[in-house]
Amino acid sequence: MIIVFGLLALAVVTALYWYLWRRLIRDTTTGWGQARRIGTTAFVVGPAVMFAALFAELGHAPFVLQRALAWPGFLWMVLSLHLLRRSMAVRNSGDISHACS
């Protein structure tokens, strides 16, 4: 049962990151230029570091590894949740002035 829950959680997180990538990277850039490559790299590496930080803390990894992964991993988690909230607010309101306050 835990495997099913893990796969379901992975599918949900993948769908959310795909939505954010589509709204923030693909829709705002043309072609595979430098900006799209950097943005795509951030959207691949960011969640990987986030999950590595979570699993390092839950798995009682050495403190040096936890500390190295914690700042970028948990910072990416907060940033992605904030971006998701803002992009949904802009999409639902249709006006960016409401989402920026």
Side-chain angles (χ1 to χ4, degrees), residues 42-60:
F43 269 84
V44 170
V45 172
V49 173
M50 178 184 75
F51 283 115
L54 284 171
F55 292 137
E57 188 169 331
L58 292 174
H60 302 292

Side-chain angles (χ1 to χ4, degrees), residues 16-98:
L16 289 175
Y17 275 105
W18 178 79
Y19 172 77
L20 276 177
W21 177 84
R22 189 177 53 117
R23 295 271 301 171
L24 298 175
I25 306 298
R26 191 188 76 179
D27 291 348
T28 59
T29 59
T30 58
W32 279 96
Q34 185 177 8
R36 187 179 280 192
R37 289 181 196 273
I38 291 171
T40 301
T41 302
F43 269 84
V44 170
V45 172
V49 173
M50 178 184 75
F51 283 115
L54 284 171
F55 292 137
E57 188 169 331
L58 292 174
H60 302 292
F63 181 70
V64 175
L65 180 62
Q66 287 182 13
R67 188 175 54 185
L69 292 173
W71 274 100
F74 294 130
L75 189 63
W76 180 262
M77 183 187 301
V78 171
L79 177 68
S80 63
L81 290 173
H82 178 72
L83 288 172
L84 181 66
R85 184 177 65 109
R86 288 295 185 175
S87 66
M88 294 242 181
V90 169
R91 181 175 183 201
N92 291 336
S93 70
D95 183 16
I96 198 165
S97 63
H98 297 294

